[in-house]
Amino acid sequence: MVEKVDCPVCGSNQATEIWSHVSGIADGVCLNCGHAYLTRQKTEKEIIASYKNFRQAYPEAYLADTKNDLFEQARWRYEFLAQNIPTAEAINSVLEVGCAYGHFLSLFSPKVIRAGIEPSMDQAAFAKKHFNLSEIINSPYELIDKKPKEWPGHGFDLFCSYHVIEHVKNPSRLLAFARRMLKPNGYICLAAPNLFALSPDIIEYFFLFKNWHLNIFSPSSLSRLLAQFGFETLHWEVEPPTTMLRNSFIVLARKQTISPVQFVSSINIQDSVQALADFHNILDRCIHSIRQAFDEWHHQGLTIYIYGAGIHTTALLELSDIERKYIKFIIDDDPKKWGLEINDIQVINLDNALSRKPDVILVSSLASEEIILQKLGQCLRTGIKLVGVYRDLAPHLK
């Protein structure tokens, strides 16, 4: 079921739709404030249910590696706060909603109250076990109606939530929760994809398609929403890109006594419309290029294998509507995935695949395409056509 939604920032029901899908979902831009969001989206119950099978299959050794992207990003965010919060105002308590595996919270001293809320059971368990973060609640934040006794009675010094607010159907509810959890003059730090630097890749497109990204904030639209809940924006920056998050910004704001806080918008609505239109135009060209390549390979009688049994391949298959008969097998290095199926296509290991003599191997990965292409280039026999989605079929997405 799809329902029409008013702007979650200003409440206006006047929006221009930029893109729509046969399922009925659509995204567009509010003509009153310039915020981009899914103007027609699934019900909250359906969206929550769609997360049931969502997994980010990171090996435990990777999660524990202090040099991984998750740690690097966490350290950058920690330094961002250290540079923008006066040293005289010590942070003695921090609450992170959507704390995932606990990398960010682990950077704070054990003397600090480090509380986290994480709906994923696996991620919350890792944070508790590996980083000894005992104050992790495995629950959606919406179900927490009163503070646990271990939390500071006067409120937290710092509330953080990174790449959560774009996922929630009602971002106002998250900011209202933050205001209740913070002490007077406490700080809030948020990160989200940036409308004006949106990465036109298959994962970002898939998150819109699945109704997992419901809002596409700009620094201006997020600051406006913060102001409505009594937060004054102090500073924002573009986050350094990682292999998975290439288009984010981070904002630091402070809780004020008076709510709402006065805010003067600097956004040009037409700029928002153009940014969202450009994003979809580029992605449409990408999907067309992928379909065209598969049609040509099939017409030539080539056997096609896809390398990568992760979310990128799921997204690729669903968005492009590639016919099942076009693809022989999916290849992956993870033994836990061998024998499983994605869209009725069996996952096998590389040696098994090479013994079957494929004609084409398409590397399907956003984060690791270049690494996989280099590895395969060293071991493949002559005659196998090795193709990267972003290197060969859609180089304009890089």
Side-chain angles (χ1 to χ4, degrees):
M1 180 179 175
V2 173
E3 56 189 12
K4 192 174 185 297
V5 178
D6 293 340
C7 176
V9 171
C10 72
S12 172
N13 62 3
Q14 299 299 310
T16 180
E17 290 187 350
I18 305 298
W19 168 84
S20 62
H21 188 263
V22 292
S23 63
I25 64 171
D27 72 358
V29 173
C30 174
L31 293 175
N32 181 58
C33 72
H35 177 58
Y37 67 104
L38 286 188
T39 53
R40 285 183 279 140
Q41 54 188 249
K42 296 176 183 178
T43 63
E44 188 167 33
K45 184 178 180 180
E46 289 175 304
I47 293 170
I48 292 173
S50 73
Y51 279 101
K52 183 178 180 181
N53 297 318
F54 176 70
R55 295 289 185 274
Q56 288 179 301
Y58 294 117
E60 190 162 320
Y62 170 82
L63 293 172
D65 184 356
T66 57
K67 296 181 181 179
N68 69 36
D69 276 356
L70 302 176
F71 254 128
E72 290 295 329
Q73 189 172 62
R75 279 190 282 266
W76 186 90
R77 289 168 176 166
Y78 185 89
E79 287 302 315
F80 169 83
L81 292 170
Q83 292 169 13
N84 290 285
I85 295 177
T87 53
E89 300 181 39
I91 298 298
N92 296 310
S93 58
V94 56
L95 170 62
E96 184 181 7
V97 170
C99 63
Y101 298 99
H103 293 88
F104 176 74
L105 287 176
S106 74
L107 300 176
F108 289 85
S109 165
K111 296 178 181 180
V112 172
I113 298 174
R114 304 175 296 176
I117 301 172
E118 175 50 53
S120 166
M121 185 181 298
D122 293 343
Q123 294 181 22
F126 182 90
K128 291 179 181 179
K129 177 184 175 182
H130 187 78
F131 294 120
N132 197 29
L133 296 168
S134 59
E135 301 300 324
I136 304 294
I137 298 176
N138 177 212
S139 167
Y141 83 91
E142 295 94 336
L143 300 183
I144 300 174
D145 53 3
K146 60 181 181 180
K147 297 178 183 178
K149 62 180 181 180
E150 297 83 5
W151 289 8
H154 61 283
F156 286 91
D157 296 322
L158 174 65
F159 177 99
C160 297
S161 190
Y162 303 124
H163 286 269
V164 172
I165 196 166
E166 68 270 23
H167 291 268
V168 298
K169 195 173 185 73
N170 186 353
S172 294
R173 187 192 301 171
L174 177 63
L175 296 189
F177 179 78
R179 188 168 178 85
R180 292 199 309 273
M181 294 298 112
L182 279 170
K183 72 175 187 180
N185 296 317
Y187 291 93
I188 181 171
C189 188
L190 305 172
N194 186 352
L195 171 63
F196 294 110
L198 204 57
S199 177
D201 58 65
I202 289 171
I203 295 293
E204 187 66 42
Y205 200 9
F206 190 59
F207 273 45
L208 287 173
F209 173 76
K210 297 293 284 187
N211 284 226
W212 291 343
H213 279 185
L214 302 171
N215 295 280
I216 311 173
F217 287 97
S218 66
S220 180
S221 66
L222 185 52
S223 294
R224 175 173 180 152
L225 187 61
L226 283 163
Q228 292 175 23
F229 286 84
F231 294 105
E232 181 183 8
T233 296
L234 303 176
H235 185 63
W236 74 269
E237 283 186 29
V238 173
E239 289 197 300
T242 68
T243 51
M244 287 298 291
L245 298 173
R246 301 187 290 174
N247 61 332
S248 306
F249 71 98
I250 190 169
V251 61
L252 177 67
R254 194 168 196 179
K255 180 180 176 181
Q256 303 297 310
T257 305
I258 301 173
S259 179
V261 172
Q262 186 176 5
F263 175 76
V264 178
S265 176
S266 60
I267 198 167
N268 182 303
I269 293 173
Q270 188 53 45
D271 288 344
S272 297
V273 171
Q274 190 63 54
L276 192 58
D278 289 345
F279 168 77
H280 282 292
N281 287 337
I282 294 173
L283 278 166
D284 286 346
R285 287 161 50 199
C286 166
I287 298 300
H288 175 75
S289 296
I290 292 168
R291 287 174 179 157
Q292 189 175 42
F294 272 89
D295 288 341
E296 290 176 358
W297 294 333
H298 182 68
H299 181 71
Q300 295 168 16
L302 303 179
T303 55
I304 307 165
Y305 290 48
I306 292 180
Y307 195 107
I311 189 173
H312 192 277
T313 295
T314 300
L316 178 73
L317 296 173
E318 288 196 33
L319 292 173
S320 60
D321 294 322
I322 299 168
E323 292 189 47
R324 163 67 183 84
K325 64 182 181 182
Y326 284 10
I327 305 161
K328 201 76 172 176
F329 290 101
I330 294 173
I331 307 167
D332 201 89
D333 295 331
D334 186 352
K336 294 179 181 178
K337 296 181 180 179
W338 299 343
L340 301 179
E341 292 186 346
I342 297 177
N343 285 32
D344 298 323
I345 305 169
Q346 188 180 359
V347 180
I348 62 176
N349 64 43
L350 180 59
D351 289 339
N352 188 348
L354 294 180
S355 70
R356 298 170 185 268
K357 299 181 178 179
D359 296 310
V360 178
I361 295 180
L362 175 69
V363 175
S364 172
S365 173
L366 176 62
S368 305
E369 179 183 270
E370 187 174 341
I371 295 171
I372 295 171
L373 286 169
Q374 289 177 353
K375 182 183 79 170
L376 293 180
Q378 296 170 1
C379 69
L380 293 188
R381 64 175 175 82
T382 304
I384 296 179
K385 187 177 182 65
L386 187 58
V387 182
V389 170
Y390 300 100
R391 185 191 71 178
D392 302 306
L393 301 184
H396 47 284
L397 295 190
K398 280 193 168 183

